Amino acid sequence: MKILGIESSCDETAAAVVEDGVNILSNQIASQVEIHSRYGGIVPEVASRQHILAIVPVIEQAMARAKVAWKDLFGVAVTAGPGLAGSLLVGVNMAKAIALACRLPIIGINHLEGHIYAGWLTDSSIKFPLLCLIVSGGHSDLVLMRKHGDYVLLGRTRDDAAGEAFDKAARILELGYPGGPAIERAAKNGIDSIKLPRSWLKGTSDFSFSGVKTALLRLVEEGKVSNRLDAAASFQQAVIDVLVTKTVAVAKKCRVEQILMVGGVASNEGLRQSLVKNSPIPVLVPEPLLCTDNAAMIAACGYYRFQAGRVDDLGFDVLPALKLA
Ligand code: KG4
Ligand code: ZN
């Protein structure tokens, strides 16, 4: 069962063909990073216009790489939310046009659920109950997954998401955009030597990252940061400590079989190593290309949705504030 996946929720235009939810036949991504880096962050209007320019070539590349014809597809899966409304509209309308022209079933996918299905592209024998840590630009969620399509939100960020904190810290340290990879690169050449606070929010499974970001800002404003590389290493370690400690504690409490970490921040090497090292429970983290936004994860999620008999009609809308649970 071959599914065409389309993703355009933020600043990547992506299309992929995935077979049976696990086998990636193609995974094309057109990144807008260079364009938005001029502004130091994503400009929504620019993002949607770029999606318009990129979406047809990206889908054509995905189909050609996968060596499939339209008639070989079972259906189309497209990110319906959460994300930037204008960006989501480009992918959703393209998917609707394909579904209509090729008489294919269509399914709107929750982007966060898509991130989780990068796990199945990595290891199709994942065991339930599963604790998912979704760490992206907009989310830091701890989600208990008991079976396909069954989610319980156990914890979330109360302020900045982990990726957002990385992006803001990189701006404070003038390390460039996007912030996560910039902090990681700087941290590799720095030493975790600056004392920064960790918000534990004891007694809850929630996260908070605005305190550590503000503490970093104060130090910079007071001229107490002489080495930006050390500051990056210290900031990164503070975020990693909280994410890993809290995730492992929740996983033990819920007696899950496995931990799955996904989302753009999960591509951070230090975080990946720390979670694997500190968890007595088996940890699965997809390769970095499947952690950051891509369409293979959307197609994989679509496969499981179609299998469960779910189909949308062509009238469905984009849902910029869509929740997973
Ligand atoms: O999942 P994603 O690609 O898009 C969203 O759904 O938001 O995540 C993007 C976020 C950005 O905040 C980016 O700075 C962060 O993931 N990120 C990283 C790394 N690569 C991307 N954060 C830390 N270390 C990285 N290597
Ligand atoms: Zn994402």
Side-chain angles (χ1 to χ4, degrees):
M1 218 166 119
K2 298 183 180 83
I3 312 279
L4 171 66
I6 298 175
E7 155 65 39
S8 70
S9 65
C10 195
D11 60 342
E12 321 273 11
T13 320
V17 180
V18 173
E19 191 170 27
D20 299 336
V22 292
N23 187 13
I24 300 175
L25 302 183
S26 64
N27 191 15
Q28 297 300 120
I29 302 172
S31 173
Q32 303 179 6
V33 158
E34 237 182 271
I35 296 155
H36 295 292
S37 64
R38 285 179 224 152
Y39 308 98
I42 297 163
V43 184
E45 173 79 15
V46 174
S48 27
R49 286 172 171 219
Q50 278 307 121
H51 284 307
I52 295 265
L53 296 176
I55 195 133
V56 171
V58 164
I59 291 172
E60 282 175 348
Q61 284 159 17
M63 295 292 288
R65 281 265 167 106
K67 298 194 172 63
V68 294
W70 299 110
K71 65 173 176 41
D72 301 327
L73 292 175
F74 175 87
V76 186
V78 60
T79 304
L84 301 168
S87 289
L88 290 163
L89 275 169
V90 178
V92 165
N93 278 326
M94 191 70 225
K96 285 182 180 180
I98 292 170
L100 189 63
C102 304
R103 295 174 190 276
L104 294 171
I106 186 169
I107 184 99
I109 298 293
N110 181 314
H111 180 80
L112 301 171
E113 191 179 15
H115 271 300
I116 289 174
Y117 276 87
W120 274 264
L121 294 171
T122 308
D123 178 0
S124 58
S125 63
I126 294 184
K127 292 184 188 65
F128 297 118
L130 173 74
L131 181 67
C132 307
L133 172 64
I134 310 170
V135 268
S136 67
H139 293 82
S140 304
D141 290 348
L142 274 171
V143 177
L144 178 66
M145 188 175 179
R146 294 179 293 205
K147 57 182 195 269
H148 287 293
D150 177 45
Y151 306 100
V152 182
L153 180 67
L154 301 177
R156 57 179 176 82
T157 182
R158 293 197 180 170
D159 37 60
D160 293 348
E164 188 182 357
F166 269 98
D167 292 333
K168 287 178 177 171
R171 216 170 294 151
I172 291 167
L173 296 171
E174 294 175 6
L175 291 170
Y177 168 88
I183 292 271
E184 178 166 24
R185 271 193 307 275
K188 283 205 171 110
N189 298 309
I191 298 162
D192 170 18
S193 53
I194 299 171
K195 224 172 147 230
L196 288 170
R198 276 109 172 111
S199 294
W200 295 111
L201 299 181
K202 289 228 168 76
T204 85
S205 307
D206 286 348
F207 298 105
S208 165
F209 295 110
S210 75
V212 62
K213 171 206 66 190
T214 307
L216 179 70
L217 179 63
R218 290 245 168 80
L219 289 177
V220 170
E221 282 174 350
E222 289 164 7
K224 289 181 181 155
V225 170
S226 54
N227 186 328
R228 289 187 305 161
L229 305 182
D230 290 350
S234 306
F235 176 84
Q236 178 172 282
Q237 196 54 50
V239 174
I240 290 175
D241 283 352
V242 173
L243 285 174
V244 170
T245 307
K246 296 206 76 156
T247 301
V248 171
V250 173
K252 281 184 187 161
K253 197 169 146 203
C254 297
R255 298 170 185 272
V256 293
E257 290 284 336
Q258 249 178 304
I259 296 173
L260 170 66
M261 180 168 70
V262 292
V265 183
S267 58
N268 185 284
E269 195 54 45
L271 175 59
R272 299 162 75 92
Q273 284 173 3
S274 176
L275 184 58
V276 170
K277 194 172 134 216
N278 290 293
S279 174
I281 296 161
V283 172
L284 180 66
V285 192
E287 63 170 292
L289 194 68
L290 294 176
C291 286
T292 46
D293 287 350
N294 66 87
M297 67 187 196
I298 303 300
C301 183
Y303 169 80
Y304 287 93
R305 291 254 139 176
F306 282 132
Q307 287 283 85
R310 297 278 307 273
V311 179
D312 282 317
D313 64 45
L314 283 171
F316 77 92
D317 200 358
V318 298
L319 298 162
L322 184 62
K323 300 238 180 320
L324 181 57

